[in-house]
Amino acid sequence: MADLVIMPKLGFNMNEGKLVKWYKSEGDAIKKGEALFSVETDKTSIDIESTGDGYVRKLFIEEGDKLAVTLPIAIIADKEENIDALVSDAYAQLGKESPVEDKKEAAVQPVESVADEGPAVKAVTVAGRHIASPRARRVAEEMGIDLESANIVGTGFEGGISEKDVLQYVASAPKVRATPLAKKMAEASGLDLSSMAGTGVYGKVMKKDVEGAFASPAAAVATAVVGELTQDGKEISEKVPYTGVRKIIGERLSSSMFSAPHVFFTQKVNLENLLELRKQVNESQEKKTSVTDYIAKAVILTLQKYPDLNSSLVEDTIEKYKSVNLGIAVASPTGLIVPVVKNGQNMSVVEISKAASALVAKAREGKLTPDEYSGGTFTISNLGMFGIDQFTAIINPPESGILAVSATKDEPVVIENGKGEKEVAIKPMMNITLSADHRIIDGLLAAQAVAEIKALLENPLRLLV
């Protein structure tokens, strides 16, 4: 049975996808589970597999094309199966002329339009309302056009409205079609939507079209610059567009920093006992654990003890979560990404280590699925491997906190010896800094949480029981 393949919706906020690569061509055989194409989201590229066996009978878009989610991009069917109806329906959804329809006689469409409506056509005609073909009604609905109030001239049978009439009306209508977000952005910036060429379905103006209006033509691609100076005399070596993942990261973190009042709490942690315990654990098993794995376990236990930290402010409601979904910030080829270890409250240190290692590896290869980098309730950002002494991290919305972990370094520390006397000793010390959303987390709670994390890391046997 023929299967209509659509542009997948790979995340809650995904409205369109970019087809990066076709792994099959028209006429190729394909098995269930084989990669059919690769699609790019705002964070990564993902291979999409076929859900059944058959032949690739039709491809509707080219590599590099962008398309709204759920619209058709291909048909997989048996080699001799008639797919004319499916092809026609797909072209109708895409707002394109169907080559299948062009093969039919001109008289076919009027009869088909009336027959498809059945008795309902007569009722509509008697009521003085427009007669329209099923495809015309579907396209009009998708485009938000009211056939009864729109002044559309029908060229079909007995003045009925065809799909071509709807598309012609859209092409000539003065009204600009745009997404709500695009309209809001344009209004706030004083931009004229009527002057923009929309890249969405049926020419709809999208968010990216409005964003593109702010950029000069020279900023469309990265360019090397020779001899160009700024007004104050700085020589420019290269101009790189502020777009893609880098722009998305910037927008999200800017929104977080300015909408959520951040409050910061720092503690020094003595890792002497933890490093010794980790050494013993790694010597006793094949899977090697990292310091981050133990920090993750300490954070998870702390979030369970102080559940107000494991929460989000959603409009006017504070949502507290039973699930502890811990994000671990990782540098990937496309920028910073945060894979999420789901339901960490049910995992041991070793289980956390296995889950985190697999996710980090996929993140660095750019192969994370949206489910693997969404749904977090708290995040750890560890820059210790880069020798950073201390830093503060911006909260990953809609979470309420993030823990910044710095490098472990030998430092002189005042301790009490066996005689009750104070002396200076060299210990492996690490700084941790909690960034908390002060709208929902009080300073006292944040301080208690940092103290708990410190206590767990300095008494690491508690992480194993």
Side-chain angles (χ1 to χ4, degrees):
M1 183 176 179
D3 180 26
L4 186 64
V5 182
I6 64 172
M7 177 63 72
K9 186 175 178 67
L10 299 173
F12 180 76
N13 294 319
M14 181 178 171
N15 296 314
E16 66 175 8
K18 176 182 177 181
L19 195 139
V20 179
K21 181 178 178 62
W22 284 114
Y23 293 113
K24 297 288 184 178
S25 302
E26 287 188 6
D28 288 351
I30 189 168
K31 296 288 186 181
K32 180 179 180 180
E34 273 192 282
L36 175 59
F37 63 96
S38 175
V39 62
E40 182 181 88
T41 68
D42 59 352
K43 293 187 177 182
T44 187
S45 294
I46 299 172
D47 289 345
I48 305 300
E49 300 174 350
S50 174
T51 58
D53 299 339
Y55 290 83
V56 179
R57 297 285 302 279
K58 185 68 179 176
L59 302 179
F60 292 103
I61 64 175
E62 303 291 333
E63 292 179 353
D65 287 352
K66 292 184 178 181
L67 193 66
V69 297
T70 74
L71 287 181
I73 62 173
I75 293 176
I76 295 177
D78 293 337
K79 197 168 189 177
E80 305 298 331
E81 187 173 354
N82 188 324
I83 61 170
D84 285 355
L86 201 57
V87 170
S88 296
D89 184 68
Y91 274 108
Q93 293 184 54
L94 293 168
K96 299 179 180 179
E97 292 297 323
S98 170
V100 175
E101 292 297 316
D102 292 341
K103 297 178 183 178
K104 298 180 181 179
E105 296 181 3
V108 173
Q109 183 173 344
V111 175
E112 185 179 315
S113 299
V114 176
D116 285 350
E117 296 291 342
V121 172
K122 296 182 179 179
V124 169
T125 305
V126 171
R129 300 170 67 187
H130 294 298
I131 300 174
S133 70
R135 282 195 294 274
R137 293 188 181 280
R138 179 169 57 249
V139 171
E141 181 180 353
E142 291 172 350
M143 302 174 71
I145 298 173
D146 184 359
L147 288 178
E148 312 312 325
S149 60
N151 185 24
I152 302 178
V153 178
T155 60
F157 180 66
E158 294 184 351
I161 297 173
S162 68
E163 176 189 354
K164 292 181 181 179
D165 299 328
V166 177
L167 297 176
Q168 179 62 37
Y169 171 79
V170 172
S172 60
K175 182 179 179 181
V176 178
R177 299 186 63 253
T179 64
L181 179 56
K183 290 179 180 178
K184 185 176 180 181
M185 292 172 62
E187 290 173 1
S189 306
L191 295 176
D192 182 10
L193 285 175
S194 64
S195 64
M196 296 183 192
T199 58
V201 181
Y202 306 118
K204 179 182 288 186
V205 178
M206 312 294 288
K207 174 188 174 184
K208 65 177 181 180
D209 301 321
V210 179
E211 291 175 340
F214 293 106
S216 64
V221 294
T223 54
V225 180
V226 179
E228 184 175 343
L229 302 177
T230 64
Q231 291 183 349
D232 58 357
K234 296 189 293 288
E235 184 176 357
I236 302 171
S237 64
E238 185 181 19
K239 291 184 177 181
V240 181
Y242 182 51
T243 58
V245 173
R246 173 51 51 199
K247 186 171 184 178
I248 292 169
I249 292 171
E251 290 174 345
R252 283 175 57 84
L253 296 184
S254 294
S255 174
S256 173
M257 194 66 187
F258 293 115
S259 64
H262 285 49
V263 59
F264 307 101
F265 298 82
T266 300
Q267 268 281 18
K268 280 189 176 293
V269 180
N270 183 347
L271 290 189
E272 183 176 35
N273 293 335
L274 175 58
L275 294 177
E276 179 59 33
L277 177 65
R278 171 176 172 257
K279 179 181 178 182
Q280 294 177 23
V281 171
N282 288 348
E283 287 175 349
S284 66
Q285 60 172 15
E286 183 177 350
K287 177 66 179 79
K288 306 306 179 185
T289 57
S290 68
V291 171
T292 302
D293 300 329
Y294 295 88
I295 296 172
K297 182 63 176 180
V299 168
I300 291 168
L301 291 175
T302 299
L303 294 177
Q304 289 181 282
K305 183 174 181 178
Y306 300 105
D308 286 354
L309 277 170
N310 197 45
S311 63
S312 296
L313 179 60
V314 182
E315 296 182 351
D316 295 326
T317 303
I318 298 174
E319 294 183 352
K320 299 180 183 180
Y321 307 113
K322 184 176 181 180
S323 299
V324 180
N325 295 344
L326 191 65
I328 300 175
V330 177
S332 73
T334 56
L336 184 71
I337 193 167
V338 184
V340 178
V341 177
K342 301 290 180 69
N343 293 308
Q345 75 278 3
N346 300 324
M347 297 182 180
S348 66
V349 171
V350 175
E351 289 171 336
I352 291 171
S353 181
K354 291 179 180 178
S357 297
L359 289 170
V360 169
K362 291 184 70 174
R364 289 174 176 159
E365 295 170 359
K367 295 183 178 180
L368 285 177
T369 65
D371 181 63
E372 290 171 330
Y373 59 72
S374 61
T377 61
F378 193 92
T379 296
I380 294 174
S381 180
N382 189 348
L383 295 181
M385 65 287 296
F386 301 108
I388 302 300
D389 289 329
Q390 184 179 332
F391 70 104
T392 57
I394 300 175
I395 297 168
N396 189 27
E399 299 167 14
S400 62
I402 182 170
L403 187 74
V405 180
S406 303
T408 302
K409 296 184 177 181
D410 288 338
E411 296 180 9
V413 179
V414 177
I415 63 171
E416 188 174 293
N417 60 27
K419 300 177 181 179
E421 301 170 340
K422 292 183 178 180
E423 60 182 33
V424 176
I426 302 300
K427 300 291 183 182
M429 303 299 294
M430 175 184 72
N431 285 316
I432 58 173
T433 299
L434 172 65
S435 303
D437 185 345
H438 214 349
R439 293 175 300 176
I440 55 178
I441 297 177
D442 294 328
L444 175 60
L445 173 61
Q448 290 173 326
V450 173
E452 180 66 14
I453 295 172
K454 173 183 170 68
L456 287 167
L457 294 177
E458 292 185 345
N459 299 278
L461 282 177
R462 293 173 57 191
L463 302 175
L464 304 182
V465 298

